[in-house]
Amino acid sequence: MAGYGAKYPCFAPIATEPEGSLPTYGAGAYIGKLNLANLTVTLASGEAWGDDELAEQISEFASGSLAMETLDMEDNIASMIYGAQVQDGVVHYNSGDTPPLGGLGYYKVLMRGGKKYFQAIIYPKVRAALGNDNAQTKSSTITFTNTQTTFTIFAAASGDWRLVKTFDTEAAARAYIQTTLGIEDWHIVEIQTSGEGTATPDGSVFVADGESLQITFSANPSALYDNGTSQAASGNKYTISSVTGDHSVVAAFTA
């Protein structure tokens, strides 16, 4: 098995945590495009020696830390995760902020015997801490900076600290995260181009159910297909209205 890639980070605040059970969650949200998620686990270990040899050894989960970077984070999501307040379009980060306990999830791609699988990972009980914010002036090389968040991982009342489930399809992995964390339904729009033209946005784009997506092209495509159906751009733009499912958009450009 080889793992690569990571997508669809989501967070939901804990609503209840019954004794001996996994938490239940309030309405969750998609955090933003995922750049990395690095897990560090701290184990409590002990050894017992007798007759000049190791007789017993134990290592148990004590806590964990997940360093996450996303390309961006909208203000309402920052408020949900960090406990900050948004007033008149200003996010107030206060020394008295208490980030809520919540559930965190994302999925990654696996290769097994030449076949793709999609592994959903959920941490049922975490708390976020805002990471460093770096800025660099533009020069001959543009360096992008990401939003850094460190999540402390706790064991839930059930004892579980990590849940992992593998699926045959990306849609099923995404649906599992949505169902577990109460995430609004999101859909993937895959945008591809051929020839000399470009599209903004491009690649994989997540769109909330019922929302619209406008794609802007660098020139009018000579051919444009949406889920295999021929379409026409208007003023170098193409809009998918009221997205209710996944889309595959292909634009071709000829000189």
Side-chain angles (χ1 to χ4, degrees):
M1 176 191 74
Y4 67 95
K7 287 185 177 182
Y8 200 56
C10 296
F11 178 87
I14 290 177
T16 66
E17 191 176 6
E19 185 177 353
S21 301
L22 286 167
T24 64
Y25 303 99
Y30 168 64
I31 297 173
K33 287 192 172 183
L34 184 59
N35 180 265
L36 64 82
N38 293 333
L39 172 67
T40 301
V41 177
T42 300
L43 300 176
S45 301
E47 296 179 347
W49 290 76
D51 288 341
D52 295 332
E53 64 181 15
L54 181 64
E56 299 288 349
Q57 192 278 335
I58 188 170
S59 295
E60 296 182 345
F61 173 82
S63 66
S65 177
L66 188 82
M68 177 176 286
E69 290 188 14
T70 53
L71 299 193
D72 190 16
M73 186 181 295
E74 295 185 4
D75 293 348
N76 62 321
I77 305 301
S79 176
M80 173 188 289
I81 291 176
Y82 303 130
Q85 300 297 314
V86 180
Q87 299 174 1
D88 298 324
V90 178
V91 184
H92 294 256
Y93 294 94
N94 191 279
S95 60
D97 290 344
T98 301
L101 290 167
L104 176 69
Y106 58 91
Y107 66 86
K108 61 183 183 180
V109 185
L110 306 178
M111 288 293 291
R112 290 175 176 166
K115 177 177 170 54
K116 276 188 180 181
Y117 295 90
F118 301 88
Q119 187 177 76
I121 301 170
I122 291 177
Y123 299 95
K125 187 175 181 179
V126 303
R127 174 170 278 145
L130 181 65
N132 295 327
D133 183 18
N134 302 312
Q136 182 174 320
T137 189
K138 185 177 73 172
S139 62
S140 58
T141 301
I142 296 176
T143 301
F144 291 97
T145 59
N146 299 324
T147 300
Q148 301 178 11
T149 307
T150 299
F151 292 93
T152 299
I153 301 168
F154 305 89
S158 62
D160 299 304
W161 64 271
R162 190 183 196 215
L163 308 174
V164 178
K165 189 170 183 178
T166 303
F167 299 88
D168 289 334
T169 66
E170 189 169 7
R174 191 168 74 251
Y176 174 71
I177 294 171
Q178 291 170 347
T179 302
T180 304
L181 298 180
I183 308 299
E184 180 183 9
D185 196 17
W186 291 75
H187 307 290
I188 296 177
V189 178
E190 294 282 357
I191 304 168
Q192 300 178 20
T193 60
S194 64
E196 297 299 320
T198 60
T200 304
D202 65 353
S204 298
V205 180
F206 285 96
V207 182
D209 187 69
E211 292 190 357
S212 299
L213 174 68
Q214 184 178 83
I215 305 169
T216 302
F217 301 105
S218 59
N220 204 47
S222 56
L224 177 64
Y225 298 93
D226 185 351
N227 285 344
T229 302
S230 179
Q231 303 289 342
S234 176
N236 294 359
K237 298 181 187 296
Y238 175 64
T239 300
I240 307 173
S241 301
S242 300
V243 176
T244 57
D246 293 346
H247 284 252
S248 175
V249 177
V250 180
F253 300 87
T254 57

